[in-house]
């Protein structure tokens, strides 16, 4: 049976190796996602779980929310603080809220690194009744030529990578992602008995990704963050050649998907 991402702690806490690159290269979230989450929340006191460098947190701050981040990697947290986000360094499972309550608990690109049962229980503990848990991800879909070339170089250089890169060119890739990641999150929420039935939201979007932007973003993926420089260079060479063959850029499609659930019951 395949393992779940939260069982790979070393990978989960490896992104801070180049936190500045992570913040530059990772895509932001559509404004519609920000509006969807703030519209579902009964107030503006937000807790951002696995906030990283504060990409989502800064978008919620700009929308008029107060945001506290929880982040296990001190290197990522330091960048977030420098960019204006208040962050406490801890895994969410071990974090102590000290009686604080929130209108929304949000997690962008991070909930799959958290134990879904313990995470849901902690979210229920810190949310006010009627508060919302909002989990969201940017899920990429690559052109077949890019996915195929990347899969070949991964098979050679990173044979144990836990990703089926060829599948990322398939139109059903997002559905498979949702089935696995959302399924685990739903199970965790159900086990607490403290959340209403979760609702799904999705927005598709696309931009033209240049060779430079692609090679900047690739090293921030979990399969590559711990690679030695020589092996990473091999991956980037193969990825760059694939983009060159397409004329130096390609359409990179994302589905931003979200799962939201309202915390029920008394305080």
């Amino acid at each position: 049976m395949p393992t779940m991402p939260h069982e790979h702690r070393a990978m989960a806490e490896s992104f801070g190796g180049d936190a500045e690159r992570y913040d530059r290269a990772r895509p932001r979230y559509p404004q519609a996602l920000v509006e969807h989450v703030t519209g579902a929340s009964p107030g503006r006191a937000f807790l951002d779980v696995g906030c990283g460098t504060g990409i989502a947190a800064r978008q919620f701050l700009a929308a008029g929310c107060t945001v506290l981040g929880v982040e296990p990697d001190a290197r990522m947290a330091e960048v977030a603080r420098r960019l204006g986000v208040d962050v406490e360094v801890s895994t969410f499972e071990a974090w102590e809220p000290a009686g604080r309550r929130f209108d929304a608990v949000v997690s962008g690109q991070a909930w799959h690194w958290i134990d879904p049962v313990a995470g849901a229980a902690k979210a229920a503990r810190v949310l006010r009744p009627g508060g919302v848990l909002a989990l969201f991800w940017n899920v990429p879909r690559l052109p077949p030529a890019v996915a195929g070339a990347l899969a070949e170089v991964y098979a050679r250089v990173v044979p144990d990578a836990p990703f089926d890169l060829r599948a990322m060119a398939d139109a059903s890739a997002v559905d498979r992602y949702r089935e696995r990641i959302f399924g685990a999150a739903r199970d965790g929420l159900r086990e607490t008995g403290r959340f209403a039935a979760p609702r799904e939201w999705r927005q598709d979007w696309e931009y033209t990704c240049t060779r430079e932007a692609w090679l900047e973003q690739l090293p921030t993926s979990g399969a590559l963050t711990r690679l030695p420089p020589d092996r990473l260079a091999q991956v980037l060479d193969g990825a760059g050649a694939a983009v060159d063959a397409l004329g130096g850029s390609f359409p990179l499609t994302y589905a931003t998907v979200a799962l939201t659930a309202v915390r029920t019951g008394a305080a």
Side-chain angles (χ1 to χ4, degrees):
M1 178 179 294
T3 58
M4 293 300 293
H6 73 272
E7 299 176 78
H8 299 274
R9 288 308 322 170
M11 185 182 294
E13 297 177 18
S14 68
F15 297 97
D18 195 345
E20 297 282 356
R21 180 198 290 265
Y22 185 100
D23 193 74
R24 288 194 308 268
R26 283 297 183 106
R28 276 43 182 170
Y29 298 97
Q31 182 60 27
L33 181 277
V34 176
E35 293 171 0
H36 173 70
V37 175
T38 55
S41 175
R44 290 294 182 266
F46 277 42
L47 178 70
D48 187 355
V49 176
C51 71
T53 60
I55 290 172
R58 298 196 301 272
Q59 292 186 252
F60 287 115
L61 284 169
C65 303
T66 62
V67 183
L68 173 65
V70 177
E71 167 56 43
D73 192 320
R75 301 164 297 181
M76 300 284 272
E78 180 55 34
V79 173
R81 289 191 188 109
R82 180 166 51 77
L83 295 173
V85 181
D86 185 15
V87 185
E88 296 180 5
V89 177
S90 175
T91 64
F92 185 51
E93 296 93 330
W95 176 68
E96 178 48 59
R100 290 169 289 186
R101 305 293 291 276
F102 300 88
D103 298 306
V105 172
V106 302
S107 185
Q109 221 71 23
W111 196 257
H112 55 287
W113 298 119
I114 296 163
D115 181 284
V117 175
K122 179 64 69 68
R125 176 182 168 192
V126 302
L127 278 169
R128 297 184 177 98
V132 65
L133 174 65
L135 317 175
F136 47 91
W137 291 263
N138 284 325
V139 185
R141 181 183 173 197
L142 300 174
V146 175
L150 199 55
E152 289 174 6
V153 72
Y154 266 56
R156 186 175 70 253
V157 182
V158 200
D160 58 346
F163 309 109
D164 180 2
L165 291 166
R166 292 184 194 276
M168 292 176 67
D170 190 328
S172 63
V174 174
D175 293 329
R176 289 195 299 272
Y177 186 97
R178 286 169 51 246
E179 181 180 354
R180 186 174 188 223
I181 300 300
F182 277 18
R186 286 178 184 278
D187 289 345
L189 293 171
R190 189 180 304 113
E191 186 153 330
T192 69
R194 304 295 295 277
F195 288 94
R199 297 183 176 182
E200 293 189 22
W201 179 94
R202 171 175 174 169
Q203 177 169 305
D204 295 333
W205 53 282
E206 180 180 296
Y207 78 101
T208 299
C209 185
T210 64
R211 183 185 200 275
E212 179 183 19
W214 182 232
L215 299 189
E216 175 85 337
Q217 183 178 334
L218 262 184
T220 72
S221 65
L224 301 182
T225 50
R226 296 178 294 160
L227 272 190
D230 59 329
R231 293 173 67 195
L232 177 60
Q234 293 179 57
V235 174
L236 297 183
D237 285 346
V243 180
D244 288 341
L246 294 174
S249 65
F250 63 93
L252 180 51
T253 302
Y254 279 97
T256 298
V257 294
L259 191 71
T260 60
V262 173
R263 199 276 212 184
T264 59

